[in-house]
Amino acid sequence: MGKSNGKSQNEATGLDLEHELPAGDGEQSSSAAGTGASSPSSDVLSAETELQKLKAERDTLLDRLARAQAEFENARRRAAKEQQDFRDFASVETIKSLLPVIDSFERALQAKSEAGEFRTGVELIYKQLQDVLAKLGVRPIAAKGEQFDPHVHEAIEMVETPDAPDHEVLDEWQRGYKFKDRLLRPAMVRVAKNPGK
């Protein structure tokens, strides 16, 4: 037994056994409970750690969102460029098909010929141009002698006449065209107005 300075062992450890509450059923003593409970400083540390984790997760998600937005924008730009390239390519093919017609016009203008021969040459070029447009899907709209159709005809004048049925197209001032099933421009026409029919 070691030496003491006159104090009992309980006094030396600082325990007040006389005033200590007895342990309840299923409860640990206050000394045992003190070791299991977390101190306020450890709660702050765990909260700060949790906050750091959440900030890191937020930063990761924001970075992923920014990358996804950039990828979407790049995909949109690529699609727009591909569409423009396709339109340009389609235009090139159309222009190439019209070049022989221009060549024919140039040869006709350089030739020294009679008026009748010149007219025949121009008519051949006109036919050539019509063939090119037909291959591209361009069709003229029938007008003269047809019943007026506001979907494909544009009336520029109504003419009162007893010689034609009401709303019949008398004359075509400018030919209309369709591209496949789409209206490129309406035919500009004069339309009969016959109150008797």
Side-chain angles (χ1 to χ4, degrees):
M1 202 168 186
K3 294 182 179 178
S4 68
N5 58 1
K7 295 185 179 177
S8 70
Q9 207 172 18
N10 289 337
E11 290 176 27
T13 59
L15 295 176
D16 186 5
L17 295 178
E18 293 177 14
H19 296 98
E20 185 175 339
L21 295 173
D25 293 337
E27 291 182 11
Q28 298 176 350
S29 66
S30 63
S31 62
T35 58
S38 60
S39 65
S41 62
S42 66
D43 287 345
V44 170
L45 285 175
S46 67
E48 285 179 7
T49 305
E50 185 68 24
L51 181 62
Q52 292 299 330
K53 285 181 186 174
L54 290 173
K55 283 183 178 179
E57 187 177 345
R58 179 205 60 194
D59 292 344
T60 302
L61 291 173
L62 286 174
D63 183 56
R64 286 173 59 191
L65 176 64
R67 288 174 190 271
Q69 286 176 331
E71 286 176 13
F72 175 75
E73 186 64 24
N74 288 339
R76 188 187 64 76
R77 284 187 188 138
R78 273 195 307 274
K81 185 179 183 320
E82 287 171 3
Q83 287 178 348
Q84 185 60 45
D85 290 346
F86 178 76
R87 282 194 294 269
D88 291 345
F89 180 73
S91 298
V92 165
E93 291 303 310
T94 303
I95 292 166
K96 275 185 181 178
S97 64
L98 291 171
L99 291 179
V101 179
I102 293 171
D103 295 339
S104 297
F105 269 120
E106 288 174 352
R107 281 193 292 274
L109 292 172
Q110 290 171 358
K112 295 182 169 114
S113 59
E114 299 286 324
E117 291 176 357
F118 183 77
R119 178 175 175 81
T120 304
V122 170
E123 286 173 353
L124 288 173
I125 295 170
Y126 177 68
K127 175 76 169 81
Q128 184 183 14
L129 181 58
Q130 283 181 322
D131 292 343
V132 169
L133 291 175
K135 284 180 186 173
L136 294 172
V138 178
R139 303 273 184 267
I141 295 170
K144 190 170 181 178
E146 299 287 323
Q147 193 68 14
F148 177 76
D149 181 358
H151 296 102
V152 294
H153 300 139
E154 182 178 335
I156 57 170
E157 186 179 3
M158 295 290 287
V159 179
E160 284 197 30
T161 178
D163 300 333
D166 198 30
H167 293 104
E168 183 180 291
V169 175
L170 296 174
D171 293 312
E172 180 181 58
W173 285 43
Q174 185 179 65
R175 183 166 284 183
Y177 291 94
K178 279 187 173 183
F179 175 65
K180 298 183 179 174
D181 289 329
R182 187 178 197 174
L183 181 69
L184 288 177
R185 76 173 186 199
M188 297 176 74
V189 296
R190 292 172 65 223
V191 183
K193 184 177 180 184
N194 189 342
K197 290 189 181 179

